[in-house]
Structures are given as C-alpha cells and as structure tokens.
Amino acid sequence: MLFISSYGFSNAAVPDQLSGFEKGIEGVNVDISYEFMDSDKYYGSLDIQNFDRFVKYKIFSVRAYDLIVVADDSALRYAINNREELFPDVPLVFMGVNNMTEAITASAMSNATGIAESPDFESNYALMKDLFPMRTHLNVVVDSSVAGQGDYVEFMKFRDNHPEINSTVINTSYYTATGLEEVLGGLDGDDIILFLDFSVDGEKKNYSLKHASDFLSAYAPNVPIFRLTSTDVGHGVFGGISYSYYNAGEIAGDVARRILLGEPADAIPLKSTTVSTPYFDQDCMDKFGIVYSQLPKGSVVINEHENLAKFYRENTLISNLVIIILILLVAIIGILYATNIRRKKIIRTDFLTQMPNRKKIMEDINQAITSLAPYGLIMLDVDRFKLINDTYGHKVGDEIIIGVGERLKKLSGKDVTFARLGGDEFCGLFTAANPEKGKKICEDIIKNVKGVFKTSAGDISLTVSIGCATYPEDTNDAGKLLECADTALYETKANGRNGYTLFGSINQS
C-alpha cells in the first residue's frame, strides 16, 4: 500500500490521522509505504516536481501497490492529476478532504472512494450562540492554502444558509504578521473567532498549528477561539465540536481493509457526514466562565481539573459499581437502623395496650432520678380486676385493660407519660412536678376512667385506685419516689378503693 499525506509529522493532524488509519486496518497483513508532501511548507511548482519525481521512482521500481491512500486536499489533487500515469487500475481511498466538490468528483472516478472532511458548522454555530450569546460578530480565520480554500468554500455554503450571521473573513495570506496583530487586537466583546486555517501569512512565513493557535490567542486574548478540528485545542483555543482526525483515519482504514479483502471500491459510497468529537480547553473555559455541564454531551476537556465528575466520566463502570455498592450499603444500614429502632420500640412497648411497658417507664424514671429534676409518679390499679377475670374470663379482662389503656393514653402529653406495668397495674410519670399538679392528674384519671366499658360480655363499669408522690416535696431521695407512690396506692385501697391518695397527705395525717 502507498499512503500519500499532504503534510508531515510536524502537522498536528497527521499523527492522529495515521494512528486512526492503522487502527482501522488491523487484521490485514499489509506493508505500508508512507510519503509526505509537506505541502504546508513546500507547495511551489518545483516542490511538486521533485515530489512527483520521487514518487514515480518508487512506483516504477516497486510496481506492486494494491491500494493507494491519500490524505487531505493536496495529496488528493496530486493523485487525481497523475492517476492515469502512475496507478490507473489501483483502487484509491482518500480522506481528510476539505473541498467537498473535489471529494464528490474523486468518488465519482472508477475504483475510488473515501471520506470528506466535513466540519460541523451548524453545531458549532449553535454552540457559539448558546455559550456566548452576546458575541454576535464572527471572525473567520482562513488562508490561501488548498485546505484553507476548501474550508472557505464550505463556510460560504454554510453562510449562505444563515443570512443573519454578521461575519468577517480574515485571510492570513493577505496580512503581514504586524497587520494580523492589529486586526486581532481590534477585536472586542462583540467578537468571536472561528479558526479554520492559518498556515502562512502574507510574508510567506509558515506557521505550525501550535504557532498559529498561540499567535491568535496572544493577540486576541479576550476573544473565544472556536476550532472545528481537534488539533491544538489547548494552545489558547477554546475548542468546539471538532472534526476528529483519529476517527476519520479509523474509518478510512476500515474502508481500505474492506477493499483489500475483496470488496469493490465502487460499492463503498463517499462518507460525507461529520466525524466529530467535542473538544475544549479547561484554561479557556475558566477564563470565559464556562463549566462542563454547559458543554455538549461526551465532551473531552483538555487539562481538565481533577474532580469527582471527571473521575466518574473516565471510570464509569467502576464508579457505577461503587455507587451501587454505596446505595446497597446505605439501604442495608437504613434497614438495620429501622429494624433496630423497631426492635427497641417493641421491647419497650406493651403488646396488649401498645403503651410504654415496665422497661420503658423504668428507663424514664432512672433518667429523671439522674437529672435530679422535680418529677412525680402515679401508681394505678383496676379495682377488683381479679373478680372481673373470674366472672367474665380473660378475654373480657384483656378488653378492660385495653380500654383503661386507651383512656390513659388520651391523658398523655408533653409533661405526663403512662405505661402498663403488667396485669392491671399502670404507672404515670410527670415532670415539672408538684403536689397540685399530681392532684389534678389523679382527678383527670378518675374522671376519664369512670364510666361504662363496652366489652364482648356487655357493658361493665369499674373504678380505679391511685397513689401519687412527688420529688422533692415527698422525699429528698429521688430513687425512693416509686416506693412512696406505692405506699399512697395501698393507702387508697385500705380506704375502700375508688379514689386517689397523695403521699404528702399520709404524712400529714
């Protein structure tokens, strides 16, 4: 295979182009001879004659090429002009051609096909308006090279479809370096640059893509520079939805592979759709206040800041696995936490009445004892509960306990909590305690419990006995208050039940 490139390795596009091509042709045992025209430096008539002489020498010496591949406009033009003499019957594959008219003409030839370089003007124009809506003047940088004129023709086709665009073409081949400095220095906040080609100026001075990028950004430092190819984004060029030389080369390599494996070149149509990847420079993004979320999906950012978002994009599979594991861990921890809370609630809740049980009320009492804050205790029994159980059975007895519990829960609030200790015994804990508050709570209990309880055995009336004690009025020892409340309860029972006794009244008597 003979591969003729319009440029040399000093052109930033060539390494990407060749790497992609070699990737695309993998799987075929092929010997590739590379020839470089270096047309961005040597494209005079004598240069072409010397290159032609050398290529003819190789072709007429080898006479065994099975495929000719040409990259970019100059090489395609050379191949078209010399095909009949040099390789009339050899399949031709071309790529990276800026001039769409020449690409269509070449694909119409017998035994020829390829890929046109199709910069995505539409998408980049839309992106410019989205990111920089206040910059309404488009400055298009081109030169008079073969590639530059091809890009210029394609831009003018795009321009004809958008009469609203306010644009100026800056052909670098018409300006001295000083003249370019002045033109670029006159750009302001209304301007934006579309950098298509800049390989030579009016003094015939050559510029590499890196040098051209540095020149533009140095003399128009506050103007975003869009580039429609991925080469040299990162040298003061903001970026853009860029033609990918690597991807185009890979497609061309695949076309070459198919032809070498027997597929006719004429059966493979010209590919003219855009082959692009969004490329941007982090430093320029920072300068103009653009963040990654504003960029097109799948954007590649040169010199991107190290952050979690970048790590996620570059390690999506691992990141997703980590996220899934974290979600599962959070879910498991949440389930365990909820289960633990539920378990704690269950072991502190009376099964029959769904009130706090003995364990819970004793924890609350111990907390009150530790704090040494005033608190009060109420002990309560259902009068003659054993008789109710013996007469009506345990089912009705449970219904009575549930009923008493429901009426006590209605009296519960911020300052008072009731619990079932077991059997027909209930306990109440109240804070900010004093005898008067204890008396009121006891009277509220008597009032609320008094009345008929509806059971499966019919209506049953009952009474309760209550004992109440408060700390520190009834005892200086906070830990002995439960004993005092019990004493008051038994005093009530001794006095005929159906009432309440304050511990302080026992001492007074």
Side-chain angles (χ1 to χ4, degrees):
M1 180 191 302
L2 176 63
F3 190 113
I4 303 175
S5 172
S6 296
Y7 307 111
F9 268 91
S10 62
N11 185 293
V14 172
D16 283 351
Q17 200 172 55
L18 296 185
S19 296
F21 181 81
E22 291 170 1
K23 175 66 176 177
I25 206 169
E26 280 184 357
V28 177
N29 183 18
V30 61
D31 176 46
I32 307 176
S33 295
Y34 292 101
E35 301 300 336
F36 301 97
M37 296 180 70
D38 284 317
S39 64
D40 48 352
K41 301 181 183 68
Y42 309 105
Y43 202 60
S45 58
L46 183 60
D47 301 322
I48 298 299
Q49 289 176 20
N50 289 332
F51 179 79
D52 180 60
R53 187 180 298 114
F54 180 67
V55 171
K56 284 179 179 177
Y57 168 77
K58 297 195 73 171
I59 290 176
F60 291 132
S61 297
V62 177
R63 294 181 177 276
Y65 291 117
D66 299 299
L67 183 67
I68 307 297
V69 179
V70 295
D72 294 290
D73 298 70
S74 300
L76 176 61
R77 186 168 295 179
Y78 174 81
I80 292 174
N81 292 339
N82 296 279
R83 191 181 190 201
E84 287 300 321
E85 179 185 359
L86 300 181
F87 30 79
D89 301 318
V90 182
L92 174 67
V93 174
F94 58 86
M95 63 173 158
V97 177
N98 300 66
N99 192 310
M100 184 63 67
T101 301
E102 288 200 5
I104 294 172
T105 300
S107 66
M109 296 190 303
S110 174
N111 216 12
T113 188
I115 302 163
E117 183 176 320
S118 302
D120 194 345
F121 289 103
E122 291 289 351
S123 295
N124 277 282
Y125 178 52
L127 185 61
M128 290 176 189
K129 292 192 296 182
D130 182 43
L131 297 182
F132 303 101
M134 303 306 292
R135 295 180 179 268
T136 57
H137 185 242
L138 181 61
N139 298 272
V140 183
V141 176
V142 296
D143 60 23
S144 295
S145 66
V146 174
Q149 290 309 292
D151 281 337
Y152 174 72
V153 169
E154 295 308 311
F155 170 75
M156 292 309 294
K157 291 178 183 178
F158 161 75
R159 174 69 175 77
D160 289 342
N161 292 326
H162 292 276
E164 79 281 2
I165 294 178
N166 178 21
S167 65
T168 298
V169 174
I170 303 173
N171 189 324
T172 63
S173 300
Y174 297 161
Y175 291 86
T176 64
T178 302
L180 285 171
E181 292 175 15
E182 293 177 356
V183 170
L184 295 172
L187 303 183
D188 56 27
D190 291 335
D191 290 290
I192 196 164
I193 293 175
L194 176 58
F195 172 23
L196 298 180
D197 300 275
F198 178 9
S199 61
V200 64
D201 63 19
E203 298 172 302
K204 306 301 179 184
K205 182 190 294 184
N206 293 317
Y207 295 76
S208 68
L209 285 173
K210 177 181 179 300
H211 185 193
S213 301
D214 289 338
F215 188 97
L216 292 174
S217 61
Y219 292 104
N222 299 315
V223 180
I225 302 172
F226 272 70
R227 180 136 174 87
L228 275 60
T229 61
S230 58
T231 51
D232 283 314
V233 172
H235 292 278
V237 174
F238 175 78
I241 300 174
S242 304
Y243 179 84
S244 173
Y245 288 102
Y246 180 90
N247 291 342
E250 186 175 8
I251 294 170
D254 180 65
V255 170
R257 180 184 62 81
R258 290 159 60 187
I259 292 173
L260 291 175
L261 292 176
E263 188 173 347
D266 291 334
I268 303 174
L270 170 71
K271 181 174 179 58
S272 59
T273 55
T274 56
V275 182
S276 59
T277 300
Y279 279 88
F280 300 92
D281 175 59
Q282 183 70 67
D283 291 337
C284 289
M285 289 169 58
D286 293 343
K287 179 193 291 186
F288 296 109
I290 303 300
V291 297
Y292 188 88
S293 60
Q294 294 176 268
L295 303 180
K297 184 178 181 181
S299 292
V300 176
V301 176
I302 309 301
N303 304 319
E304 183 177 6
H305 300 317
E306 296 295 333
N307 52 41
L308 288 176
K310 179 186 178 186
F311 180 84
Y312 177 80
R313 292 194 306 273
E314 293 178 349
N315 304 273
T316 303
L317 179 59
I318 295 175
S319 299
N320 285 338
L321 288 174
V322 170
I323 290 172
I324 291 171
I325 291 171
L326 289 175
I327 290 174
L328 289 175
L329 286 175
V330 170
I332 291 170
I333 292 171
I335 292 171
L336 291 175
Y337 178 77
T339 301
N340 188 48
I341 293 296
R342 183 170 177 270
R343 183 184 64 82
K344 287 182 177 180
K345 184 176 180 180
I346 288 173
I347 63 176
R348 289 167 173 78
T349 301
D350 178 62
F351 177 77
L352 183 61
T353 62
Q354 295 301 298
M355 299 173 70
N357 61 10
R358 178 185 291 273
K359 178 178 179 61
K360 177 65 170 72
I361 200 69
M362 291 307 298
E363 289 176 350
D364 292 346
I365 291 172
N366 288 333
Q367 185 176 352
I369 292 171
T370 303
S371 70
L372 296 178
Y375 79 101
L377 287 179
I378 290 171
M379 299 297 293
L380 181 150
D381 281 354
V382 177
D383 293 334
R384 300 180 177 83
F385 180 72
K386 185 177 183 304
L387 178 62
I388 294 174
N389 259 342
D390 293 342
T391 304
Y392 300 105
H394 290 288
K395 179 183 177 182
V396 172
D398 288 344
E399 292 172 0
I400 292 294
I401 294 299
I402 293 172
V404 172
E406 289 299 320
R407 298 188 186 189
L408 291 177
K409 282 191 281 187
K410 290 179 180 179
L411 297 176
S412 296
K414 180 180 179 181
D415 296 334
V416 60
T417 302
F418 290 97
R420 182 189 179 210
L421 302 182
D424 65 317
E425 294 179 306
F426 294 86
C427 177
L429 167 69
F430 58 99
T431 57
N434 57 62
E436 285 301 316
K437 185 172 183 178
K439 177 180 178 182
K440 183 178 186 310
I441 293 173
C442 291
E443 290 174 348
D444 288 341
I445 294 173
I446 296 294
K447 178 180 177 182
N448 277 271
V449 173
K450 182 179 180 181
V452 175
F453 287 80
K454 295 185 178 298
T455 71
S456 56
D459 294 346
I460 298 177
S461 296
L462 54 85
T463 59
V464 293
S465 295
I466 303 171
C468 177
T470 58
Y471 165 82
E473 283 81 358
D474 294 329
T475 175
N476 291 326
D477 188 345
K480 290 186 177 180
L481 197 62
L482 183 61
E483 179 182 336
C484 295
D486 257 334
T487 300
L489 171 62
Y490 283 110
E491 182 71 15
T492 302
K493 290 183 177 181
N495 292 329
R497 300 183 177 85
N498 187 21
Y500 67 91
T501 300
L502 302 179
F503 183 80
S505 66
I506 300 174
N507 291 339
Q508 292 173 2
S509 63

